[in-house]
Amino acid sequence: MEKTYSVVFYSKTLVEPIKKMKDFLRSKIDWYNSCNSEAHITICEFTIEESQFDSIKQKLSKISDGFTPFEVSLNHFSSFPTSGAFFIGVTKDSEKKLVPIMKKIHETLKFLKLKKSDNPHMSIGRRLTPENLKIASELFTTIDLQFECNEIVLREFDPVVKQFFVMDSFPFGSNPEPEFVQGSLF
């Protein structure tokens, strides 16, 4: 049976503050896409047969062992007006650390049909109308959050609840693989 999964950056410390923001927005505009989704930064999403699950977990475990933990700072609100997304953006310094990890994971899972994210951000709402985007941008003007990025998380989509739930986490092991250098015999 096929199931849908996502790989994300996730921090338990941000779940509650982001939930409060989403609940506040919901009190102003009613239900909206991702109002019940826990705080995360999406890396990619894919659908696989259950038989592939253990192989994917092994690949994620191996790759995450090579990453070193670092601090991520989220410091501004922004939106993607064409898709109706309202989100919290990361600092340039955090982006420089997150994007290479995202690309490495995309490369590792390239044999899958991935829905990739190349722009690290934490969604507050998705598919908002232009009016609701305006309301969100008026409600939320300043932000300053941090979290220790020390793992990647694999989540499974529950089609009944229509939410992703954490299945497994893969801690960063600070064990980068040595870069292969092509030598010369002569």
Side-chain angles (χ1 to χ4, degrees), residues 25-32 35:
L25 181 58
R26 188 174 180 171
S27 76
K28 303 296 183 190
I29 67 171
D30 295 323
W31 184 92
Y32 59 91
C35 66

PDB file of all heavy atoms in Angstrom, residues 25-32 35:
ATOM      1  N   LEU A  25      -4.765  33.323  14.504  1.00  0.00           N
ATOM      2  CA  LEU A  25      -5.178  33.614  13.133  1.00  0.00           C
ATOM      3  C   LEU A  25      -6.516  32.951  12.835  1.00  0.00           C
ATOM      4  O   LEU A  25      -7.402  33.564  12.228  1.00  0.00           O
ATOM      5  CB  LEU A  25      -4.103  33.151  12.135  1.00  0.00           C
ATOM      6  CG  LEU A  25      -4.392  33.413  10.659  1.00  0.00           C
ATOM      7  CD1 LEU A  25      -4.611  34.901  10.391  1.00  0.00           C
ATOM      8  CD2 LEU A  25      -3.257  32.873   9.787  1.00  0.00           C
ATOM      9  N   ARG A  26      -6.675  31.719  13.304  1.00  0.00           N
ATOM     10  CA  ARG A  26      -7.941  30.996  13.073  1.00  0.00           C
ATOM     11  C   ARG A  26      -9.115  31.728  13.739  1.00  0.00           C
ATOM     12  O   ARG A  26     -10.226  31.742  13.207  1.00  0.00           O
ATOM     13  CB  ARG A  26      -7.819  29.569  13.605  1.00  0.00           C
ATOM     14  CG  ARG A  26      -8.996  28.701  13.239  1.00  0.00           C
ATOM     15  CD  ARG A  26      -8.760  27.274  13.657  1.00  0.00           C
ATOM     16  NE  ARG A  26      -9.894  26.466  13.292  1.00  0.00           N
ATOM     17  CZ  ARG A  26      -9.929  25.170  13.367  1.00  0.00           C
ATOM     18  NH1 ARG A  26      -8.881  24.484  13.803  1.00  0.00           N
ATOM     19  NH2 ARG A  26     -11.004  24.498  13.013  1.00  0.00           N
ATOM     20  N   SER A  27      -8.876  32.342  14.891  1.00  0.00           N
ATOM     21  CA  SER A  27      -9.940  33.083  15.576  1.00  0.00           C
ATOM     22  C   SER A  27     -10.380  34.302  14.766  1.00  0.00           C
ATOM     23  O   SER A  27     -11.487  34.808  14.948  1.00  0.00           O
ATOM     24  CB  SER A  27      -9.501  33.509  16.978  1.00  0.00           C
ATOM     25  OG  SER A  27      -8.605  34.609  16.918  1.00  0.00           O
ATOM     26  N   LYS A  28      -9.531  34.762  13.865  1.00  0.00           N
ATOM     27  CA  LYS A  28      -9.832  35.943  13.056  1.00  0.00           C
ATOM     28  C   LYS A  28     -10.391  35.594  11.680  1.00  0.00           C
ATOM     29  O   LYS A  28     -11.181  36.353  11.124  1.00  0.00           O
ATOM     30  CB  LYS A  28      -8.577  36.808  12.868  1.00  0.00           C
ATOM     31  CG  LYS A  28      -7.943  37.258  14.161  1.00  0.00           C
ATOM     32  CD  LYS A  28      -8.851  38.174  14.944  1.00  0.00           C
ATOM     33  CE  LYS A  28      -8.163  38.664  16.204  1.00  0.00           C
ATOM     34  NZ  LYS A  28      -9.090  39.352  17.097  1.00  0.00           N
ATOM     35  N   ILE A  29      -9.960  34.453  11.101  1.00  0.00           N
ATOM     36  CA  ILE A  29     -10.369  34.144   9.718  1.00  0.00           C
ATOM     37  C   ILE A  29     -11.043  32.777   9.584  1.00  0.00           C
ATOM     38  O   ILE A  29     -11.326  32.345   8.483  1.00  0.00           O
ATOM     39  CB  ILE A  29      -9.173  34.241   8.739  1.00  0.00           C
ATOM     40  CG1 ILE A  29      -8.122  33.149   9.012  1.00  0.00           C
ATOM     41  CG2 ILE A  29      -8.543  35.622   8.767  1.00  0.00           C
ATOM     42  CD1 ILE A  29      -7.031  33.042   7.955  1.00  0.00           C
ATOM     43  N   ASP A  30     -11.295  32.086  10.683  1.00  0.00           N
ATOM     44  CA  ASP A  30     -11.860  30.737  10.679  1.00  0.00           C
ATOM     45  C   ASP A  30     -10.835  29.721  10.154  1.00  0.00           C
ATOM     46  O   ASP A  30      -9.661  30.025  10.031  1.00  0.00           O
ATOM     47  CB  ASP A  30     -13.169  30.667   9.880  1.00  0.00           C
ATOM     48  CG  ASP A  30     -14.268  31.503  10.543  1.00  0.00           C
ATOM     49  OD1 ASP A  30     -14.330  31.528  11.784  1.00  0.00           O
ATOM     50  OD2 ASP A  30     -15.051  32.127   9.805  1.00  0.00           O
ATOM     51  N   TRP A  31     -11.308  28.529   9.807  1.00  0.00           N
ATOM     52  CA  TRP A  31     -10.419  27.449   9.394  1.00  0.00           C
ATOM     53  C   TRP A  31      -9.639  27.840   8.146  1.00  0.00           C
ATOM     54  O   TRP A  31     -10.137  28.539   7.272  1.00  0.00           O
ATOM     55  CB  TRP A  31     -11.238  26.177   9.107  1.00  0.00           C
ATOM     56  CG  TRP A  31     -10.376  25.008   8.769  1.00  0.00           C
ATOM     57  CD1 TRP A  31      -9.884  24.080   9.633  1.00  0.00           C
ATOM     58  CD2 TRP A  31      -9.877  24.650   7.472  1.00  0.00           C
ATOM     59  NE1 TRP A  31      -9.100  23.169   8.961  1.00  0.00           N
ATOM     60  CE2 TRP A  31      -9.077  23.493   7.631  1.00  0.00           C
ATOM     61  CE3 TRP A  31      -9.999  25.196   6.204  1.00  0.00           C
ATOM     62  CZ2 TRP A  31      -8.431  22.867   6.575  1.00  0.00           C
ATOM     63  CZ3 TRP A  31      -9.348  24.575   5.138  1.00  0.00           C
ATOM     64  CH2 TRP A  31      -8.580  23.425   5.332  1.00  0.00           C
ATOM     65  N   TYR A  32      -8.394  27.381   8.069  1.00  0.00           N
ATOM     66  CA  TYR A  32      -7.573  27.589   6.879  1.00  0.00           C
ATOM     67  C   TYR A  32      -6.590  26.433   6.761  1.00  0.00           C
ATOM     68  O   TYR A  32      -6.328  25.720   7.729  1.00  0.00           O
ATOM     69  CB  TYR A  32      -6.824  28.934   6.933  1.00  0.00           C
ATOM     70  CG  TYR A  32      -5.903  29.064   8.126  1.00  0.00           C
ATOM     71  CD1 TYR A  32      -4.570  28.674   8.054  1.00  0.00           C
ATOM     72  CD2 TYR A  32      -6.370  29.572   9.339  1.00  0.00           C
ATOM     73  CE1 TYR A  32      -3.729  28.779   9.147  1.00  0.00           C
ATOM     74  CE2 TYR A  32      -5.532  29.681  10.436  1.00  0.00           C
ATOM     75  CZ  TYR A  32      -4.213  29.292  10.338  1.00  0.00           C
ATOM     76  OH  TYR A  32      -3.380  29.396  11.419  1.00  0.00           O
ATOM     77  N   CYS A  35      -3.813  25.072   9.476  1.00  0.00           N
ATOM     78  CA  CYS A  35      -4.057  25.645  10.807  1.00  0.00           C
ATOM     79  C   CYS A  35      -3.817  24.618  11.912  1.00  0.00           C
ATOM     80  O   CYS A  35      -3.537  24.989  13.046  1.00  0.00           O
ATOM     81  CB  CYS A  35      -5.447  26.261  10.921  1.00  0.00           C
ATOM     82  SG  CYS A  35      -6.820  25.107  10.813  1.00  0.00           S
TER      83      CYS A  35
END
